[in-house]
């Protein structure tokens, strides 16, 4: 990630917070873009094609959750929701719609930068990937294109879905502890609750169902973790 400054788009209607975020993130070496045209924010997003987006929820013209869903449907770039909406339901809703993280206002710049740095590293640092295709029992996971396929079916994945499926496929039939899963998704499990992890597991099961693989292929080992059961796959 030292070739070019990573591009961060800030979608926030609070002018004061927007400026503080821009100034601080630029000090960390990022290229920071802010927008004040909230009426055409969807067009702005795709024309800029940011490496990461900081997205507020309560915006003029658009609901931030709707924007999150629009962005994540057409792009694999990471999204962090920044919002004063602090209920558990709001956080789960954001993750379900494709956000990679959810930070409650007010927050420290140090915490925000830690989240940003971790997300960018997981999404763009492929130095440890010797092969962009993982194949298990006829399932093909494309790490470069964020896609999973099985026979004639294919599904597009979010960043977290790709990370989880890579973890499961590379450890097939082996129980992976909840701590290991949390560490793969986030730098620290300190700020991650049980529901957030469950939402991500549910999304992975839905992607498997899209390619005609039973949701039961991912099984829960009570009080321990999860494992990918190849016995649940018809790959003969």
């Amino acid at each position: 990630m030292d070739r070019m400054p990573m591009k961060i788009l800030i979608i926030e209607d609070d002018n004061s917070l927007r400026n503080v975020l821009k100034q601080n993130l630029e000090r960390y070496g990022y290229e920071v873009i802010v927008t004040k045209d909230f009426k055409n924010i969807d067009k702005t997003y795709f024309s800029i094609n940011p490496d990461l987006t900081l997205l507020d929820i309560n915006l003029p013209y658009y609901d931030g959750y709707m924007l999150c869903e629009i962005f994540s449907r057409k792009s694999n770039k990471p999204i962090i929701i920044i919002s004063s909406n602090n209920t558990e339901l709001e956080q789960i809703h954001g993750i379900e719609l494709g956000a990679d993280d959810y930070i409650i206002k007010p927050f420290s710049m140090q915490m925000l930068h830690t989240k940003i740095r971790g997300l960018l590293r997981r999404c763009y640092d492929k130095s440890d990937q010797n092969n962009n295709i993982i194949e298990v029992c006829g399932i093909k996971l494309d790490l470069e294109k964020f896609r999973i396929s099985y026979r004639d079916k294919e599904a597009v994945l979010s960043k977290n879905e790709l990370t989880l499926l890579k973890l499961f496929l590379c450890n097939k039939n082996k129980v992976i502890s909840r701590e290991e899963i949390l560490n793969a998704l986030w730098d620290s499990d300190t700020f991650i609750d049980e529901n957030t992890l469950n939402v991500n597991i549910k999304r992975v099961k839905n992607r498997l169902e899209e390619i005609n693989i039973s949701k039961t292929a991912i099984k829960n080992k009570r009080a321990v973790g999860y494992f990918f059961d190849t016995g649940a796959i018809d790959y003969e």
Side-chain angles (χ1 to χ4, degrees):
M1 293 195 298
D2 53 5
R3 59 193 188 282
M4 287 180 64
M6 301 300 277
K7 188 162 42 178
I8 296 178
L9 174 64
I10 299 175
I11 304 176
E12 165 64 61
D13 64 334
D14 183 319
N15 187 59
S16 177
L17 177 57
R18 190 169 61 225
N19 290 336
V20 168
L21 289 172
K22 185 177 190 301
Q23 291 169 10
N24 279 275
L25 291 175
E26 284 178 340
R27 291 194 187 108
Y28 286 116
Y30 300 110
E31 177 186 352
V32 182
I33 301 165
V34 299
T35 181
K36 300 177 183 178
D37 180 13
F38 297 100
K39 187 179 289 187
N40 299 296
I41 192 62
D42 53 338
K43 295 179 182 178
T44 300
Y45 174 87
F46 291 110
S47 65
I48 292 173
N49 191 28
D51 296 303
L52 181 143
T53 299
L54 298 179
L55 175 63
D56 188 18
I57 294 302
N58 301 311
L59 297 166
Y61 302 107
Y62 279 100
D63 173 75
Y65 289 125
M66 183 175 72
L67 287 174
C68 183
E69 185 174 23
I70 291 172
F71 298 163
S72 61
R73 277 182 180 177
K74 298 183 179 180
S75 172
N76 292 315
K77 302 298 180 64
I79 299 169
I80 297 178
I81 289 177
I82 51 173
S83 176
S84 56
N85 298 343
N86 61 1
T87 68
E88 186 177 90
L89 184 61
E90 296 273 5
Q91 296 174 58
I92 292 173
H93 188 46
I95 298 296
E96 285 183 328
L97 292 176
D100 296 272
D101 212 332
Y102 191 114
I103 301 180
I104 299 170
K105 300 176 184 176
F107 50 81
S108 70
M109 281 304 307
Q110 184 177 4
M111 172 56 67
L112 178 62
H113 182 232
T114 298
K115 299 275 191 179
I116 290 173
R117 186 175 54 194
L119 256 179
L120 291 176
R121 183 174 61 249
R122 289 190 294 276
C123 291
Y124 299 107
D125 186 2
K126 297 184 172 64
S127 58
D128 63 338
Q129 296 177 3
N130 298 320
N131 191 341
N132 285 328
I133 303 293
I134 295 174
E135 186 167 0
V136 174
C137 302
I139 302 169
K140 292 183 179 180
L141 182 66
D142 192 319
L143 305 177
E144 187 71 29
K145 296 181 180 179
F146 285 75
R147 295 176 184 274
I148 188 169
S149 60
Y150 178 66
R151 295 179 176 171
D152 60 342
K153 299 291 183 179
E154 184 179 79
V156 178
L157 306 170
S158 70
K159 286 72 58 183
N160 282 357
E161 290 163 0
L162 181 79
T163 299
L164 280 176
L165 282 165
K166 178 183 177 183
L167 187 63
F168 283 129
L169 292 177
C170 289
N171 296 276
K172 59 183 184 294
N173 300 316
K174 173 187 173 184
V175 177
I176 307 170
S177 72
R178 302 182 75 86
E179 290 74 20
E180 288 179 86
I181 296 172
L182 288 170
N183 287 333
L185 290 173
W186 297 279
D187 284 340
S188 169
D189 62 358
T190 305
F191 301 95
I192 306 303
D193 60 29
E194 198 79 3
N195 284 322
T196 303
L197 178 56
N198 292 340
V199 166
N200 278 274
I201 295 292
K202 179 182 176 182
R203 287 175 61 183
V204 165
K205 290 183 177 182
N206 289 339
R207 295 295 85 76
L208 290 175
E209 193 172 52
E210 286 181 26
I211 58 173
N212 290 341
I213 292 177
S214 172
K215 292 181 179 181
T216 61
I218 295 180
K219 290 182 167 59
N220 177 269
K221 185 75 171 177
R222 190 171 182 180
V224 181
Y226 295 87
F227 68 99
F228 188 82
D229 180 14
T230 58
I233 303 172
D234 173 21
Y235 57 93
E236 293 297 321

